[in-house]
Amino acid sequence: MNAYRMKPLAFPWPPLIYGAALAVAFLLQAYFPLAASETDSLIATVAGSVLILTAIVLDVWAMRTLLDCHTTILPNRCSTCLVTSGPYRFTRNPIYLGYTLATAGIGLVMLNPWCLVTAIVASGLTSIVAIKREELHLLSRFGIDFERYCNGTTRWI
């Protein structure tokens, strides 16, 4: 394998990507407001709260699973083992999925439809900037075991 594949991300980009997505969504709402129906605000608030709570539970569960397996949480550190338990049984990127759900949930709670758009853009950017690189890193470290894991587990949902 190429030496560059042995290195994970040089910088933990995903939290910054999702933070920027939220900032852009609020700027877009300030300059190009999309009207949200007041009659649906209770439904949006409840749905957004459920998404945010789901995101928090998913992120904490994923981080706890990584810690229990004695590997790093940070995407710019080398993985010491391939984690396939906990939420990693269902998705290869539960933390990033949690970020996406939280961004969409914040948009619903704040009645800011731009958050839904920027959550989709942020997930695409995360796939390009972080996930592709992390998968090369995991493939170089764990080889066929990682390939088997990829064949049985989806990247997002």
Side-chain angles (χ1 to χ4, degrees):
M1 297 267 167
N2 293 334
Y4 77 90
R5 290 186 180 169
M6 289 299 292
K7 299 176 186 173
L9 297 174
F11 187 80
W13 292 109
L16 292 178
I17 291 172
Y18 284 94
L22 283 171
V24 167
F26 287 113
L27 284 172
L28 285 169
Q29 185 66 12
Y31 290 104
F32 306 102
L34 293 177
S37 170
E38 288 299 320
T39 59
D40 295 333
S41 67
L42 179 62
I43 294 169
T45 300
V46 170
S49 298
V50 168
L51 284 178
I52 292 168
L53 183 62
T54 302
I56 291 169
V57 168
L58 186 60
D59 279 351
V60 169
W61 186 22
M63 289 179 197
R64 183 66 194 181
T65 302
L66 291 173
L67 290 174
D68 288 347
C69 292
H70 306 289
T71 193
T72 183
I73 293 173
L74 299 174
N76 61 327
R77 302 266 170 91
C78 289
S79 296
T80 56
C81 71
L82 180 62
V83 179
T84 59
S85 60
Y88 294 92
R89 289 177 294 177
F90 311 108
T91 174
R92 295 195 309 255
N93 298 288
I95 295 173
Y96 301 152
L97 178 58
Y99 291 168
T100 305
L101 294 175
T103 303
I106 290 168
L108 289 171
V109 168
M110 303 294 290
L111 297 177
N112 183 345
W114 288 111
C115 285
L116 302 175
V117 173
T118 60
I120 293 167
V121 171
S123 65
L125 277 173
T126 298
S127 288
I128 294 167
V129 172
I131 292 174
K132 298 280 187 189
R133 181 77 185 240
E134 289 174 6
E135 287 179 348
L136 288 174
H137 166 71
L138 292 171
L139 181 62
S140 72
R141 293 197 51 101
F142 306 109
I144 191 75
D145 291 333
F146 181 67
E147 286 182 19
R148 276 192 212 112
Y149 173 63
C150 288
N151 288 333
T153 310
T154 61
R155 181 176 284 153
W156 284 96
I157 297 176

